[in-house]
Amino acid sequence: YELVYRNIVSMDPTVIIGSKALKGNGTSTIKTTLYRENFRVNIVVYIFCLLNCMLMSEFWIIERNREFAIRRTYGYSRFRIIMGIVRDILMLCAASIIICAGIAFLADAICNIKLLPAPITNNAVLAVAGTTVVSLIVTIAYPVYRILKISPAVTLKDIG
């Protein structure tokens, strides 16, 4: 607001500007909150984060390639291995949500800084859960494809 005000006043020093402050009742939806915060920027950041997660999961799969080959050799089904990966990634998601909530709580309690501008409602929780599920599916899609292609004998021979 100050920047806009200074720009206008610099163009016409005689201008009289008034503003009206609107105070919400706390019932905004996630959609209107995201639009207010520039929805396109949020989508770009989300896609960037998804690509980062996909890259990290790819490195994670490469690092655990031998483990998956050994599990396949011992008779683990592909489904069981994939569910193990889903479980591991969900545990990482839960840990990150707990850390985020803890930091937000501490920032509010100690510094009086609100890191979560939107109120926590049922819609917000459902939106976060839905986004987490979509992110999980997108993040593990390629690694799961790679696991389905693992040939235990070849993998263990290559790794030595």
Side-chain angles (χ1 to χ4, degrees), residues 57-124:
S57 67
E58 175 62 23
F59 286 127
W60 183 61
I61 295 300
I62 290 170
E63 184 179 300
R64 295 181 66 187
N65 206 12
R66 182 179 179 141
E67 174 189 341
F68 297 133
I70 290 171
R71 286 182 185 217
R72 289 284 297 141
T73 303
Y74 282 125
Y76 277 55
S77 68
R78 288 181 173 128
F79 180 77
R80 186 172 176 189
I81 293 172
I82 292 167
M83 286 299 110
I85 291 170
V86 169
R87 183 198 65 232
D88 291 347
I89 291 178
L90 279 176
M91 287 176 20
L92 289 172
C93 288
S96 65
I97 288 172
I98 290 169
I99 290 169
C100 176
I103 289 172
F105 176 76
L106 288 175
D108 187 29
I110 295 172
C111 304
N112 203 17
I113 298 172
K114 298 274 187 205
L115 294 178
L116 300 173
I120 299 175
T121 62
N122 290 338
N123 287 343

Side-chain angles (χ1 to χ4, degrees), residues 2 27 35 50 76 81 86 105 126-127 131-132 138 140 149 158-159:
E2 289 179 48
T27 60
Y35 279 126
L50 272 180
Y76 277 55
I81 293 172
V86 169
F105 176 76
L126 289 175
T131 305
T132 302
V138 170
I140 67 169
K149 296 290 185 182
D158 290 343
I159 294 174

